[in-house]
Amino acid sequence: MKYIKILLWVPFIGLLGFLSFANKIEPYVLGMPFLLFWIVFWMVLSSVILTIVYRFDPDNKGSDPE
Amino acid sequence: MNISLIIIFMFLILALYLGINARKGKDMNMQQFAVGGRGFGTLFVFLLVAGEVYTTFTFLGGSGWAYSKGAAVYYVPTYICLAYVLSYWLVPKIWKYAKEHSVISQPDYFASKYNSRSMGIIVAILGSMALVPYIVIQIKGLGIIVSEASYGAISPVVASFIGAIAVTTYVIISGIHGSAWTAVIKDIMILVVVVFLGIYIPIHYFGGIQPMFESVQSVKPEMLTLSNQGLSISWFISTVLLNAVGFYLLPHSFSVVLSANGEKTLRKNAITLPLYTLLLLFVFFIGFTAVVQIPGLQGAEGDLSLLRLAIETFDPWVIGIVGAAGLLTALVPASVMLMSASVGLTKSFYNAIVPKATEKQQLIASKLFLIGISSVALIFTITGGEALAILNIMSYSLISQLAPALFFSFPKNNLINKYGAITGIVAGVFIVLYATIFNVKIATFFPNVPHVINDISTGAIALLINTVVTLVVSIFTKNMDINKKQMSDIEASNY
């Protein structure tokens, strides 16, 4: 799992790569205009992706003071 | 004095009291003052980093830009979120190096990496320059809060004075320890206030979040998407990338990284911080409600929208609580910023002039720098009239110029040297200042350039030129270094 950090690129692509597609008001999702929803969706997903990376990252095997 | 002001001042006194108390039982040497002895665990680092999410900028500036510019304001959570993603990879590297070389400030870090004192001094100056707009934001925000909460009794200028004095006293007394404790109260308060206002206000006026957006859509549909030119998609992408890169380069975020107790602490924080940023949504809900409910605020007045709307909706005591939360969101970040700027200047500038300064002299010097910086910020606050968001972007445009010097320094063999790094930084900063002061865009030189390119933020263009200059100068001076080395080798072999 040495290359797990590559996943860190995904949020960048999701948030910035599809703006011309996401830049619209309708459909409303969860009460929000589509563009806002898109950004919120990717913020949540970023957190999920970071959790996965943290779990599999060999750098976190060592013990650290808590 | 009305009830709202009384509540706000009570919180100010509480914050000062906690600051003084946090100091007791701790020996205040330079390392304690600056990075809390490098002993902060996950929670404290979380709160201090999250302090960036909830400064007065996001509170007033976030709703203010939603009010005056609409969807362009989404750049704020986007860059913060991506800065955290980037931080997972970036900040442990910085922390590790800093620990191994006992570095306690950003200029130190660069000076040590490039083995150059001039580099340290340049970084210190740039750091303080970049922090000035940010401190101006906080003081301005304090001014807005106090004067709005006084229902006009206190003028914004007087209120800014009060704010600047409060912040400076607070930092001088407590250093970073005070910030961490006040940060706890601040985060709880702002969370409650923002969520409450963000849900209550749209429901109160429109019956829900979606009906609120729908009425914005019927009045000003262009507010809900990015526009075709100006604050367009290319503006959005370039600004977000620039700010995401600049986020941990801001001296105060850098200090917070150094105050962590381990690499894992920093990585763990990266996971939860994007979720915490979601709370900005509620701030936007308030700003968008204000679009329909209190139209007519012009330009920088947009920053007043949250408080104006709150005043129209609630009793004065609620305004007091909202104002107090706002006060803390200014106080905590401003103190962290002032501290890191002053410690940076002391470590590089003062120590360069007075190499044998004692620990005590250094502490005194850093406190004098602190007063100096807050005075400069106060002057800018009173004289300048920009919206908070513009100041935010200005700050990031400046500090991001350090990015090439930072990123190239990670691999074992640094591609660039100090000459390249310094020339690049100076070139980048010059472009940012020139373009800001004379209000220059690409179209000024190339009138036919398409909007897609013209809308790219100035900071990003400066960063690009900076990188090119850095590389070119490095390649050029590399031979110079080698020549020098050969010369001295030859000289050495002669003896």
Side-chain angles (χ1 to χ4, degrees):
Chain A
M1 286 309 208
K2 209 178 153 197
Y3 297 106
I4 190 81
K5 286 199 181 91
I6 289 173
L7 281 183
L8 296 176
W9 283 102
V10 177
F12 281 84
I13 297 163
L15 275 166
L16 300 178
F18 296 93
L19 281 174
S20 37
F21 153 76
N23 193 20
K24 53 194 177 192
I25 300 177
E26 277 155 350
Y28 277 82
V29 186
L30 302 172
M32 290 177 281
F34 192 77
L35 177 62
L36 183 57
F37 161 75
W38 181 258
I39 289 169
V40 169
F41 170 74
W42 274 99
M43 284 165 70
V44 175
L45 212 58
S46 298
S47 205
V48 174
I49 291 169
L50 283 166
T51 312
I52 296 169
V53 174
Y54 184 84
R55 181 77 43 91
F56 292 102
D57 188 350
D59 288 352
N60 292 320
K61 288 288 187 290
S63 62
D64 235 19
E66 283 303 311
Chain B
M1 201 182 248
N2 62 32
I3 181 79
S4 357
L5 277 183
I6 291 171
I7 294 174
I8 293 172
F9 277 101
M10 266 167 45
F11 272 89
L12 178 61
I13 290 161
L14 177 71
L16 285 172
Y17 171 78
L18 281 173
I20 296 163
N21 245 18
R23 184 186 173 173
K24 276 185 191 148
K26 288 218 172 76
D27 218 10
M28 261 308 184
N29 59 24
M30 201 64 187
Q31 176 134 352
Q32 277 289 343
F33 184 70
V35 294
R38 232 185 282 278
F40 287 167
T42 313
L43 183 66
F44 261 15
V45 173
F46 179 85
L47 289 170
L48 285 175
V49 175
E52 168 73 2
V53 184
Y54 284 111
T55 71
T56 18
F57 166 61
T58 34
F59 191 51
L60 300 180
S63 52
W65 247 41
Y67 176 87
S68 54
K69 307 280 181 195
V73 78
Y74 302 160
Y75 92 88
V76 181
T78 312
Y79 90 75
I80 296 176
C81 174
L82 290 178
Y84 293 143
V85 173
L86 182 67
S87 82
Y88 183 93
W89 168 81
L90 177 72
V91 299
K93 284 183 194 295
I94 297 173
W95 185 87
K96 202 170 162 204
Y97 183 86
K99 178 153 195 222
E100 282 163 4
H101 297 81
S102 339
V103 163
I104 65 165
S105 79
Q106 189 179 30
D108 264 7
Y109 180 89
F110 282 90
S112 161
K113 274 270 184 185
Y114 285 88
N115 200 10
S116 150
R117 183 163 272 172
S118 339
M119 184 78 187
I121 294 175
I122 285 177
V123 172
I125 294 171
L126 178 56
S128 329
M129 265 168 71
L131 281 184
V132 168
Y134 234 100
I135 297 166
V136 171
I137 292 175
Q138 313 306 329
I139 296 178
K140 211 171 185 166
L142 274 175
I144 291 174
I145 290 164
V146 173
S147 76
E148 287 291 311
S150 73
Y151 291 77
I154 299 177
S155 77
V157 174
V158 176
S160 301
F161 258 102
I162 299 172
I165 292 166
V167 170
T168 318
T169 325
Y170 175 73
V171 195
I172 288 184
I173 289 173
S174 62
I176 206 168
H177 280 289
S179 314
W181 276 115
T182 322
V184 177
I185 308 178
K186 167 214 147 201
D187 276 32
I188 296 168
M189 272 191 74
I190 197 70
L191 200 118
V192 173
V193 165
V194 162
V195 172
F196 171 73
L197 291 182
I199 292 174
Y200 180 85
I201 286 184
I203 291 179
H204 176 73
Y205 286 108
F206 302 102
I209 308 288
Q210 183 159 350
M212 179 272 288
F213 276 118
E214 280 163 354
S215 49
V216 175
Q217 191 183 359
S218 63
V219 187
K220 285 183 174 173
E222 72 279 5
M223 296 289 262
L224 296 177
T225 52
L226 295 169
S227 53
N228 288 327
Q229 52 169 292
L231 301 174
S232 62
I233 291 178
S234 66
W235 169 84
F236 190 91
I237 294 175
S238 57
T239 305
V240 164
L241 285 175
L242 183 83
N243 283 24
V245 167
F247 190 92
Y248 279 96
L249 280 169
L250 281 171
H252 59 282
S253 308
F254 207 91
S255 305
V256 172
V257 169
L258 302 189
S259 70
N261 63 7
E263 290 173 46
K264 257 172 124 177
T265 300
L266 293 165
R267 292 205 194 92
K268 212 181 278 170
N269 270 321
I271 297 176
T272 31
L273 282 164
L275 293 180
Y276 197 67
T277 315
L278 282 177
L279 289 159
L280 272 173
L281 270 179
F282 297 99
V283 176
F284 298 160
F285 294 162
I286 303 164
F288 281 118
T289 306
V291 170
V292 184
Q293 284 304 317
I294 48 164
L297 295 174
Q298 296 301 320
E301 280 181 346
D303 295 330
L304 305 176
S305 61
L306 185 145
L307 287 167
R308 284 280 163 87
L309 187 59
I311 286 170
E312 229 168 68
T313 319
F314 298 107
D315 288 343
W317 69 269
V318 182
I319 305 305
I321 305 277
V322 173
L327 167 93
L328 294 177
T329 58
L331 213 52
V332 177
S335 67
V336 182
M337 285 168 206
L338 273 172
M339 240 210 20
S340 37
S342 65
V343 170
L345 284 175
T346 310
K347 280 271 143 196
S348 56
F349 218 66
Y350 179 70
N351 284 7
I353 304 164
V354 193
K356 284 181 184 153
T358 61
E359 185 89 350
K360 200 167 181 194
Q361 284 170 325
Q362 290 186 33
L363 262 178
I364 293 169
S366 70
K367 285 173 183 174
L368 289 177
F369 277 125
L370 213 148
I371 294 170
I373 298 166
S374 49
S375 313
V376 172
L378 181 61
I379 292 166
F380 279 117
T381 309
I382 295 168
T383 52
E386 290 86 1
L388 300 177
I390 302 296
L391 289 166
N392 164 274
I393 293 169
M394 171 88 189
S395 211
Y396 278 103
S397 306
L398 286 171
I399 204 65
S400 304
Q401 304 309 322
L402 289 179
L406 178 72
F407 284 89
F408 282 118
S409 80
F410 287 145
K412 277 210 179 71
N413 292 319
N414 194 340
L415 211 65
I416 64 170
N417 59 27
K418 61 180 174 189
Y419 307 110
I422 291 174
T423 344
I425 293 169
V426 172
V429 169
F430 176 77
I431 293 166
V432 172
L433 291 179
Y434 176 78
T436 313
I437 293 167
F438 296 102
N439 201 12
V440 172
K441 295 288 290 179
I442 293 180
T444 318
F445 304 105
F446 306 100
N448 296 325
V449 82
H451 290 300
V452 179
I453 294 175
N454 190 39
D455 293 341
I456 294 174
S457 76
T458 312
I461 293 164
L463 185 57
L464 202 71
I465 297 173
N466 170 350
T467 313
V468 173
V469 170
T470 304
L471 283 169
V472 169
V473 173
S474 294
I475 291 164
F476 196 68
T477 52
K478 201 175 183 180
N479 297 325
M480 207 164 89
D481 264 357
I482 292 167
N483 285 343
K484 244 188 221 163
K485 198 167 175 279
Q486 281 169 343
M487 287 293 278
S488 57
D489 283 351
I490 294 164
E491 272 169 32
S493 63
N494 283 341
Y495 291 103

